[in-house]
């Protein structure tokens, strides 16, 4: 009903504009330009349509270009990799306990990464494993890995002490060659940040203070950067060819930027996730909602793990149901969304004994998590 009223209001305004133009224009002069502008406004969402119903004199080339909104379309998934988890798997979960290992709580450490060419990696503290073949990075310094980026055969490791190591992986993850070392922040300072890839170029560093610079500590001004980085994200506009991301009080994160797309990810209460993609013109291209519902009771299991040379078994875990698009996952242990440097979205579906990785063909829903709740 609200959408119909908004559309009726827009049509009335359109008629007023047309009548005004006819009254002031010479006989036979076309008003198709004004009609086209109003039609474009009606193709936006309700809220945006109301804001767009302004006269042409009020608009200016210097004004931000508001995102447009695509047609509704389904989100689909395609499984691209599956690997075993456990004592005999690619890796095993971490288990937390006080005194009795049999009462341990199971957690999934680290993060998932993709190189955009079919190879997937998982960090585990100071360790790094290739999920495709089970190869481990031969790390000897045991410094925690904060972030990684993979560009072709180049691997960049950001350590907890602010150092960045560049390796050549042409001989595989198990035989890396150290090429360069950088220091992006002082290990004694209260600093942190992430690596960010922009296409095929060397990654840049984005600090927690929203400072942007190269790995060699050369600053990058906002006007020279293809995007403007900010911590809070509500919507995206384009000004002078760069993305402008206004701050708000929502729990939104800038997830990935490539040469052509920008993903934002919002987490609500730790259960539901909203992923939004914008194209290089600032237009909203995709919106994917991921519903997570944890079961109230512990789910029975029989999971063995090793600790201090002995084996123990836990008998229950907290499972969840995950819905993305029309795909429903039952009795999962955890779900994680991640992206490659080209902007492709993936879903990691963790179970007690294995993990399935899906490439997400992101669709668009006009519904948001906020509106749903």
């Amino acid at each position: 009903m609200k959408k119909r009223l908004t559309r009726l209001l827009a049509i009335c305004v359109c008629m007023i504009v047309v009548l005004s133009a006819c009254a002031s224009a010479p006989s036979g002069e076309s008003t198709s330009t004004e009609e086209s502008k109003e039609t474009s406004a009606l193709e936006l969402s309700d809220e945006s349509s109301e804001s767009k119903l302004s006269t042409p004199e009020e608009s200016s080339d210097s004004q931000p270009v508001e995102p447009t909104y695509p047609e509704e379309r389904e989100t689909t998934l395609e499984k691209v990799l599956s690997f075993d988890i456990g004592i005999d798997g690619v890796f095993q979960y971490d288990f937390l306990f006080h005194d009795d290992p049999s009462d341990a709580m199971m957690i999934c450490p680290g993060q998932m990464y993709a190189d955009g060419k079919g190879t997937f990696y998982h960090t585990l503290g100071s360790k790094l494993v290739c999920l495709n073949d089970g190869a481990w990075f031969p790390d000897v310094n045991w410094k925690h890995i904060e972030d990684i980026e993979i560009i072709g055969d180049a691997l960049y490791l950001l350590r907890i002490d602010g150092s960045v190591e560049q390796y050549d992986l042409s001989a595989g993850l198990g035989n890396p060659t150290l090429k360069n070392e950088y220091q992006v922040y002082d290990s004694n300072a209260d600093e942190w940040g992430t690596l960010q890839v922009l296409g095929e170029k060397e990654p840049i560093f984005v600090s927690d203070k929203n400072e942007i610079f190269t790995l060699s500590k050369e600053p990058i001004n906002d006007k020279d950067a293809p995007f403007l980085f900010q911590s809070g994200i509500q919507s995206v506009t384009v000004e002078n060819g760069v993305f402008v991301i206004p701050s708000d009080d929502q729990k939104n994160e800038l997830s990935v930027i490539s040469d052509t797309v920008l993903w934002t990810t919002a987490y609500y209460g730790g259960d539901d996730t909203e992923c939004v993609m914008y194209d290089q013109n600032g237009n909203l291209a995709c919106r994917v909602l991921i519903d997570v519902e944890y079961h109230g009771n512990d789910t029975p299991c029989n999971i063995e793990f090793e600790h201090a040379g002995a084996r123990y078994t836990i008998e229950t875990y907290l499972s969840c149901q995950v819905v993305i698009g029309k795909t429903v996952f039952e009795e999962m242990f955890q779900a994680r969304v991640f992206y490659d440097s080209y902007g492709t979205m993936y879903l990691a579906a963790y179970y007690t004994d294995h993990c399935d990785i899906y490439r997400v063909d992101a669709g668009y829903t006009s519904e948001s998590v906020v509106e749903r709740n």
Side-chain angles (χ1 to χ4, degrees), residues 199-217:
E200 297 289 341
K201 304 174 184 178
E202 180 181 84
I204 61 177
F205 180 76
V206 184
S207 76
D208 60 321
K209 301 177 179 63
N210 295 323
E211 297 173 338
I212 313 168
F213 46 84
T214 68
L215 299 184
S216 300
K217 297 284 286 189

Side-chain angles (χ1 to χ4, degrees), residues 298-319:
D298 288 338
T299 303
C301 66
N302 186 18
I303 303 173
E304 285 190 337
F305 68 97
E306 291 183 336
H307 174 71
R311 290 199 175 194
Y312 301 91
T313 302
I314 63 172
E315 299 179 349
T316 61
Y317 75 103
L318 182 63
S319 65

